[in-house]
Amino acid sequence: MLCKRKNAERCHCYWKDDLSPIIDKVFNADNLIIGTPIYLGRPTRQYFAFMERLHFSSLSYDDYSNYFTGSVNVGMFVTMNATEDIYNKLYKDEFEKYKEEFQILNGKIVYYPCYNTLQVADYSKFNMSSFDENKKKAYHDKQFPKDLEKAYLIGKELGF
């Protein structure tokens, strides 16, 4: 609660650790590109830790408004082992909510999910027999260039 003290510096985390300068850079940026894999149907814990600190440092406990008055555009990418059908059925609604959390940055938000990603280069070295390596690689060879092109276009759209 130290960042909520009267006269505390707003939109800065009180705790000076490795994440504090990143939060400062986000609030001073024009654009933010962020990515997270989907693990067990959720973003990673590192993603949640980042978002909690980002939100909390800009949240007013007087009226629950946002202290941040700037504008940062956000490109959010999520990768997953799930196919597009599984994503749409199980994860899409929840991830739309995660995307909307970036509204605190007052900018444009562009969200891009990457489906059925190639997790490792050689599946035979892992206990992953439920995946057909040849199908995964074929999908990757077809889809990855499209994902790269989309990432490039999102960067242009956001002003990079």
Side-chain angles (χ1 to χ4, degrees), residues 120-129 131-134 137:
V120 296
D122 183 354
Y123 280 70
S124 70
K125 294 180 180 179
F126 298 87
N127 291 329
M128 300 173 78
S129 60
F131 302 107
D132 182 324
E133 179 177 2
N134 292 327
K137 285 186 176 181

Side-chain angles (χ1 to χ4, degrees), residues 66-122:
N66 183 9
Y67 287 124
F68 183 63
T69 58
S71 178
V72 179
N73 296 322
V74 178
M76 181 180 178
F77 296 83
V78 296
T79 63
M80 66 202 82
N81 192 47
T83 63
E84 185 174 2
D85 289 340
I86 291 172
Y87 171 81
N88 287 333
K89 182 178 178 181
L90 299 177
Y91 307 134
K92 183 177 181 177
D93 292 342
E94 194 64 27
F95 275 82
E96 288 292 322
K97 294 175 193 171
Y98 296 134
K99 176 188 83 169
E100 296 305 314
E101 290 177 349
F102 283 106
Q103 288 179 348
I104 65 155
L105 295 176
N106 306 321
K108 184 175 190 171
I109 304 165
V110 181
Y111 174 74
Y112 187 72
C114 300
Y115 315 105
N116 199 19
T117 56
L118 190 62
Q119 295 174 292
V120 296
D122 183 354

Side-chain angles (χ1 to χ4, degrees), residues 10-69:
R10 303 298 178 215
C11 299
H12 294 278
C13 189
Y14 173 83
W15 300 108
K16 302 305 177 209
D17 59 11
D18 292 344
L19 190 53
S20 296
I22 294 169
I23 290 171
D24 289 344
K25 286 179 182 181
V26 168
F27 283 124
N28 288 302
D30 294 322
N31 298 292
L32 169 67
I33 299 291
I34 189 161
T36 183
I38 295 177
Y39 290 154
L40 304 173
R42 299 181 312 249
T44 63
R45 65 183 174 89
Q46 293 89 344
Y47 171 86
F48 282 115
F50 168 74
M51 290 303 291
E52 288 169 3
R53 296 267 298 272
L54 187 70
H55 271 267
F56 199 69
S57 65
S58 68
L59 175 66
S60 166
Y61 266 15
D62 289 328
D63 59 4
Y64 297 103
S65 65
N66 183 9
Y67 287 124
F68 183 63
T69 58

